[in-house]
Amino acid sequence: MPYRVDRAFRAALVAGAACAALISSATFAAAPAAPAKVPPVNVPLMRQVIKTLSSDEFEGRAPSTAAEPKVLDEIVARFKAAGLKPGNKGSWLQDVPTVEITASQFSPMVVKGKGIAPMSFTIGKDFVAGSYRFVPQTKVADSELVFVGYGINAPELGWNDYAGLDMKGKTAVILVNDPDYEMQGEDGPFKGRRMTYYGRWTYKFEEAARQGATAAIVIHDTYPAAYGWNVVQSSWTGAQYFVQSANDGMDQTVANAWVQKSVAEAILKAAGQDLTTLTAAAKQKGFKAVPLGLTMDLSFDNAIRKATSHNVVGLLPGKTRAHEYVLYSAHWDHLGRCEADKTGDDICNGAVDNATGVGALAALADMNRRAGPAARSQVFLAVTLEESGTLGSEYYAANPVFPLARTVGGVNMDGLSPTGRARDVTVTGGDKSELTTLLRRVEEDMNLSETPESHPERGYYYRSDHFSFAKLGVPMFDVGLGEDLEKGGRAAGEAASEDYTVNRYHQPSDEYSDSWDMSGMAQEVELFYRLGRGLADGKDWPNWHPGDEFRAIRDKSLADAGKK
């Protein structure tokens, strides 16, 4: 999203290499001891928080609506009852200024070139588009098209698809995912089948802006994108949400777009090129971008509405190293009023997504209060606007109440399942950081196995609130119980997951029930407690593994903070 915390990410990748030598390669050499005693999880508390927040009274918890003050009051009351202190300079709240942009009146996307008839493409069927700039009208005229392969500039890997290019006034045409996504393992320069941040479409648009491009076009292909054109079309239709910036997003491209693969093939053919051939070339290190000798025209209008939502910030001060912080995060927002189901219910209550996460926050605060202060301070952050693009967490990461250079790491919680206890843990994103050392210790203590992520090529690590902190260097856990249930095994777990995805996810039927089996949630909260408390009572500073895309920015922040 367009509040570009990624500018810091890019700067640190360049500067971080010079700082890396200052940081010990063994900053997290040994996992801290497990908590001496784990307080029992207050299941009735969790149940009450989930039931309250997902009730019709809260109207689906849409940000910046009449329901938001009620949501904030409920979370603050739970934080107070758990003994937390207001985290933001005496206040429980952090303002998150937002912008809603709704595009309309699209012209066709017209591609022209010498010796060819103009090619006209239709919004929705052939392309989707929008702008990250807060302006009433967007216009791109006679912008030269340049095929830039995967659109990656990764200095730590010696890879730059923009090498030697001046993109001013030009439009980047970009492939989705990473160059090595077709590999079965994770041994490629971009972790093979496992998508890295460089493969995400958000990165593609961000890097094009950093390169000075006027516009950027990502070529949709179902397998490497991990979803069909229908998902792209629906996601880019209607209001789009952003965090307000001082320059109204004017450092971004004028326009960003997706095109169907068949559209890209037609454009490249008109330029005397072949998409398959260019794609194969783009997979090789040292690929040189290809000017297409064609230009693009596009225009549309933007209706702009500004509003303010809020993050809730609670603090449990540490007893010996209070200036060092461990973070627990969960988003409180959901979709509000949505398309009515066959019963006429139009409230998307968001019980699992993510009233359960806020319930877990309240339970963790209660457990840590009963256990007594940890060595380090613990921050409990209920963020807004996750459903609109992780905007609340992005805003906090860009405007941290507690410095990120002094934030040791943390745990994000998004969607706990009421399906009972499990025998395994799934780690989203794989083994990216030294947090794995602590996780393996906790898994052993809880007699849990670890199951590989089932679809690493889909890049789920880059789609929730923990990512806002990760890309600015803070190692974050994105873990949860797996699908190997104690009752019914993997078949039962997979069936429950499929049932939720098909019948309840982002629908009015995601509602709380008194019949929920809370035992799995309690097990998961115990897992989160052990992970967070291990960091809070530890002394080490975990880092990303060498070669990870976030290693350089962590190296720099630790060096700047004197953590050598």
Side-chain angles (χ1 to χ4, degrees):
M1 284 293 147
Y3 191 91
R4 292 299 78 170
V5 298
D6 304 283
R7 283 172 278 178
F9 168 62
R10 170 58 45 200
L13 282 180
V14 177
C19 297
L22 298 175
I23 310 296
S24 166
S25 62
T27 54
F28 206 65
K37 184 178 181 181
V38 177
V41 179
N42 189 336
V43 173
L45 169 63
M46 282 184 61
R47 189 182 285 276
Q48 186 58 50
V49 171
I50 297 166
K51 184 175 183 177
T52 300
L53 289 177
S54 62
S55 67
D56 284 356
E57 179 188 353
F58 288 75
E59 301 180 71
R61 304 191 306 281
S64 302
T65 66
E68 177 168 333
K70 292 186 286 187
V71 177
L72 300 177
D73 287 346
E74 172 67 15
I75 297 172
V76 169
R78 297 299 179 180
F79 280 7
K80 284 181 179 178
L84 303 186
K85 295 184 176 181
N88 188 16
K89 301 176 182 178
S91 172
W92 291 102
L93 305 180
Q94 180 187 43
D95 290 353
V96 180
T98 61
V99 177
E100 175 190 286
I101 302 179
T102 305
S104 64
Q105 303 298 318
F106 284 89
S107 74
M109 177 186 288
V110 178
V111 175
K112 301 175 292 186
K114 186 176 181 181
I116 69 165
M119 307 170 70
S120 181
F121 300 104
T122 304
I123 185 69
K125 180 174 75 73
D126 299 321
F127 77 95
V128 296
S131 179
Y132 290 173
R133 296 186 176 195
F134 312 154
V135 294
Q137 186 173 53
T138 295
K139 185 174 183 179
V140 177
D142 294 320
S143 179
E144 180 185 348
L145 298 177
V146 182
F147 179 79
V148 296
Y150 287 89
I152 293 172
N153 180 17
E156 77 279 12
L157 298 176
W159 190 293
N160 186 2
D161 289 328
Y162 290 95
L165 284 179
D166 178 0
M167 289 299 295
K168 185 177 181 180
K170 300 173 183 176
T171 294
V173 180
I174 313 167
L175 297 167
V176 74
N177 214 312
D178 299 310
D180 53 6
Y181 75 88
E182 292 175 300
M183 295 179 63
Q184 290 305 304
E186 299 185 20
D187 295 330
F190 294 92
K191 298 188 180 179
R193 184 169 176 243
R194 180 175 297 283
M195 183 187 285
T196 69
Y197 182 41
Y198 295 117
R200 284 285 289 154
W201 60 268
T202 49
Y203 167 83
K204 313 290 185 181
F205 292 144
E206 292 153 7
E207 188 59 44
R210 284 188 286 265
Q211 296 292 332
T214 291
I217 299 173
V218 169
I219 300 170
H220 176 264
D221 191 354
T222 297
Y223 178 72
Y227 36 76
W229 180 254
N230 62 313
V231 175
V232 177
Q233 187 175 356
S234 62
S235 298
W236 284 67
T237 300
Q240 305 292 304
Y241 292 88
F242 309 93
V243 172
Q244 293 180 34
S245 62
N247 65 356
D248 285 343
M250 297 304 290
D251 58 344
Q252 298 304 298
T253 51
V254 174
N256 292 314
W258 288 74
V259 296
Q260 293 257 40
K261 184 179 180 181
S262 59
V263 171
E265 290 171 333
I267 292 172
L268 291 173
K269 184 177 181 180
Q273 302 287 344
D274 174 71
L275 178 59
T276 301
T277 302
L278 286 180
T279 299
K283 294 179 184 297
Q284 306 303 313
K285 191 173 184 178
F287 166 77
K288 299 296 183 183
V290 179
L292 299 180
L294 305 173
T295 62
M296 186 265 286
D297 296 340
L298 175 66
S299 65
F300 49 90
D301 295 336
N302 300 302
I304 299 170
R305 183 179 76 92
K306 295 186 176 182
T308 300
S309 189
H310 302 85
N311 295 329
V312 185
V313 189
L315 177 69
L316 196 59
K319 60 182 177 181
T320 57
R321 295 189 301 284
H323 62 292
E324 299 172 3
Y325 305 95
V326 173
L327 180 66
Y328 302 91
S329 60
H331 74 91
W332 61 256
D333 65 296
H334 199 55
L335 305 179
R337 300 272 177 176
C338 54
E339 184 177 351
D341 63 16
K342 61 184 180 181
T343 71
D345 185 359
D346 69 344
I347 297 177
C348 276
N349 301 84
V352 168
D353 182 18
N354 186 34
T356 58
V358 181
L361 267 183
L364 286 166
D366 177 70
M367 292 171 75
N368 278 286
R369 173 188 57 80
R370 284 182 281 137
R376 288 163 162 158
S377 294
Q378 297 176 86
V379 179
F380 296 80
L381 182 63
V383 296
T384 185
L385 290 159
E386 189 273 349
E387 300 289 4
S388 302
T390 67
L391 300 188
S393 57
E394 277 204 11
Y395 187 81
Y396 180 96
N399 304 272
V401 176
F402 305 102
L404 297 190
R406 293 195 173 276
T407 302
V408 180
V411 182
N412 184 57
M413 295 159 284
D414 193 352
L416 285 69
S417 178
T419 53
R421 292 175 60 86
R423 302 185 183 98
D424 65 332
V425 170
T426 297
V427 182
T428 306
D431 184 6
K432 294 176 64 65
S433 77
E434 292 164 339
L435 290 177
T436 302
T437 307
L438 173 57
L439 175 63
R440 298 277 161 78
R441 176 76 62 84
V442 170
E443 289 171 347
E444 181 179 354
D445 291 342
M446 294 183 67
N447 195 28
L448 292 166
S449 62
E450 188 173 316
T451 300
E453 186 180 1
S454 57
H455 292 286
E457 75 279 5
R458 295 181 182 177
Y460 288 128
Y461 189 82
Y462 309 100
R463 302 190 190 187
S464 193
D465 289 308
H466 57 274
F467 176 52
S468 298
F469 304 101
K471 65 184 173 183
L472 289 186
V474 180
M476 293 286 291
F477 283 110
D478 182 23
V479 302
L481 295 184
E483 296 180 346
D484 185 8
L485 301 183
E486 290 184 358
K487 295 180 180 179
R490 191 163 299 281
E494 291 174 354
S497 177
E498 179 69 9
D499 175 68
Y500 174 75
T501 300
V502 173
N503 298 315
R504 274 170 280 286
Y505 176 68
H506 281 197
Q507 298 175 55
S509 49
D510 183 5
E511 295 186 314
Y512 167 81
S513 171
D514 285 333
S515 66
W516 274 7
D517 181 351
M518 299 287 291
S519 62
M521 290 193 199
Q523 184 187 24
E524 201 160 5
V525 169
E526 180 184 340
L527 171 70
F528 298 149
Y529 175 85
R530 288 175 179 269
L531 295 174
R533 191 75 185 200
L535 290 174
D537 279 331
K539 295 181 180 180
D540 292 316
W541 287 79
N543 204 339
W544 305 92
H545 292 318
D548 189 88
E549 65 263 47
F550 309 126
R551 171 76 184 213
I553 194 167
R554 183 64 163 181
D555 285 346
K556 185 177 186 302
S557 66
L558 293 181
D560 291 347
K563 300 292 183 298
K564 302 179 183 178

